[in-house]
Amino acid sequence: MHIRFIRTLLFALVMLSMSAAAFAQVAMGVVVTFAPPPLPVYEQPLCPGEGYIWTPGYWAYGDDFDDYYWVPGTWVLAPEIGFLWTPGYWAWGGESFVFYDGYWGPRVGFYGGIVYGFGYFGEGYEGGRWENGRFFYNTTVNNINTTEIHNVYNTTVINRTVTRVSYNGGNGGINRRPKPEEEAAARERHIPPASVQIEHAHAARTNPDLRASVNMGKPPVAATPKPGVFKDRGVVPAKEAGGPYTPPANRGRNQARDNAPASRPENRPENNASRPNPPVHPRDLPPAARPSPANTGNPKLDQKYQQQQEKQFARQEQDRQKLQQKQDREDQRLAQQKADEGRRQQVEQRHQQQTQQLQQRHEQQQRQTQEKQQPRQKPDKQQPPDRNKPPN
């Protein structure tokens, strides 16, 4: 993958000054030189069922058409029991705006202090909590049908910060730094946006009506009841823009650039418009390449290395088959139980995570094997000095 670096001293100094935890969140993100529009005013669609967690809408950036576009807020099934959503956010990086990825994890981390609403008031999440494997909804900030969803509670949340600003830092941005507990949350195990979130963002990117220069900060689809459902009767339009917005006349000169630290490019929904969806099952993975013959110059050592590679290849093929068989059995049980769409989606997300972990483990094993089998370079023997040569 080709990565383009921003080689400016100012940007490097700013990025180095950021906390390690916040820095770890940044992906190979698009950076632009003009601020995203204010967050639009909209209502939350009705929660479609138990286990769905609200993920707020945000402004993403399309480098191919050089404009911000709105990714509607939506309800998403948590990929794991006990996991919560940390929204992504924009931040001023010294000379450009940089986007930091959202992620799923056991705790809500830093999201720039942005007041997204519906439980996300700049710090933590007040919209619900997990108890004994079930998610309980706070009805004071969520739109819940309590005749169908009974795991609810009612706790008043006082939002003392009323702002529609959509970015952290810089001129006019939210002035807030991550707290130690938020930095700790970023270091815990977490997983990237689910495949339905990636597809949801892709659908928003391809909809011209969601571009800021077209809707002037008031998107016609502000929120959806489920990911990717933009024409459902439950879709909610924005009531009004969050504030005046005029796209820069010279925004065509503000070309998007890739950020140097580029930790997980696959995690950014708006960066995946032209990429294939991540594999869900082992059968979706590309065929494993058979190991190439070792060539160290030592025939016996080459034979030993070749045998090790063949054994590893066989074990990995067996791992793929076992995981595929396990997932097939789970899919068959779902079909027999006539499971609803929500349950099927939750299982599919778990299968996707299992497959990605398998792929990453195999790639790591292959790299370690290759490193062990690299021929060791013998140090060059130092030539004795020529006594007949005069000194310099």
Side-chain angles (χ1 to χ4, degrees), residues 19-25 86 103-110 178-190 264:
S19 70
F23 185 75
Q25 296 177 38
T86 296
Y103 58 89
W104 293 95
R107 287 193 293 173
V108 175
F110 182 66
K179 295 182 177 181
E181 55 269 28
E182 292 172 323
E183 293 181 332
R187 291 191 295 267
E188 294 175 340
R189 184 180 76 89
H190 50 74
R264 295 187 310 275

Side-chain angles (χ1 to χ4, degrees), residues 50-275:
E50 185 174 336
Y52 282 83
I53 294 180
W54 180 250
T55 62
Y58 61 95
W59 291 105
Y61 190 82
D63 55 344
D64 52 343
F65 48 83
D66 197 27
D67 198 2
Y68 287 100
Y69 62 95
W70 180 251
V71 178
T74 192
W75 290 96
V76 179
L77 277 172
E80 289 190 20
I81 293 175
F83 269 32
L84 299 169
W85 175 246
T86 296
Y89 67 98
W90 288 96
W92 175 247
E95 65 168 12
S96 304
F97 288 93
V98 185
F99 189 80
Y100 291 80
D101 287 332
Y103 58 89
W104 293 95
R107 287 193 293 173
V108 175
F110 182 66
Y111 51 93
I114 311 302
V115 182
Y116 287 110
F118 309 112
Y120 299 95
F121 298 119
E123 178 181 345
Y125 178 55
E126 303 292 340
R129 58 175 181 259
W130 288 94
E131 291 183 7
N132 300 320
R134 299 181 68 191
F135 189 77
F136 284 73
Y137 299 86
N138 185 356
T139 56
T140 62
V141 295
N142 284 311
N143 186 7
I144 306 296
N145 184 348
T146 54
T147 60
E148 295 183 2
I149 300 177
H150 305 291
N151 40 314
V152 297
Y153 63 96
N154 191 316
T155 298
T156 301
V157 179
I158 300 176
N159 177 24
R160 294 184 174 85
T161 304
V162 180
T163 176
R164 311 302 300 180
V165 176
S166 60
Y167 60 94
N168 177 279
N171 184 18
I174 302 294
N175 184 18
R176 189 182 181 291
R177 301 294 295 170
K179 295 182 177 181
E181 55 269 28
E182 292 172 323
E183 293 181 332
R187 291 191 295 267
E188 294 175 340
R189 184 180 76 89
H190 50 74
I191 58 179
S195 59
V196 292
Q197 292 174 277
I198 295 174
E199 294 167 1
H200 180 73
H202 172 71
R205 184 187 183 106
T206 58
N207 187 339
D209 292 336
L210 295 182
R211 298 176 187 177
S213 60
V214 175
N215 58 54
M216 305 304 292
K218 183 184 176 183
V221 180
T224 67
K226 289 184 180 181
V229 183
F230 287 12
K231 295 183 179 180
D232 186 87
R233 61 181 180 180
V235 165
V236 175
K239 288 183 176 181
E240 57 184 278
Y245 176 70
T246 303
N250 64 339
R251 72 179 192 276
R253 302 175 191 170
N254 297 296
Q255 295 300 320
R257 293 167 291 182
D258 290 332
N259 186 23
S263 59
R264 295 187 310 275
E266 69 278 8
N267 293 352
R268 292 207 54 238
E270 56 272 24
N271 264 7
N272 282 272
S274 60
R275 296 179 185 168

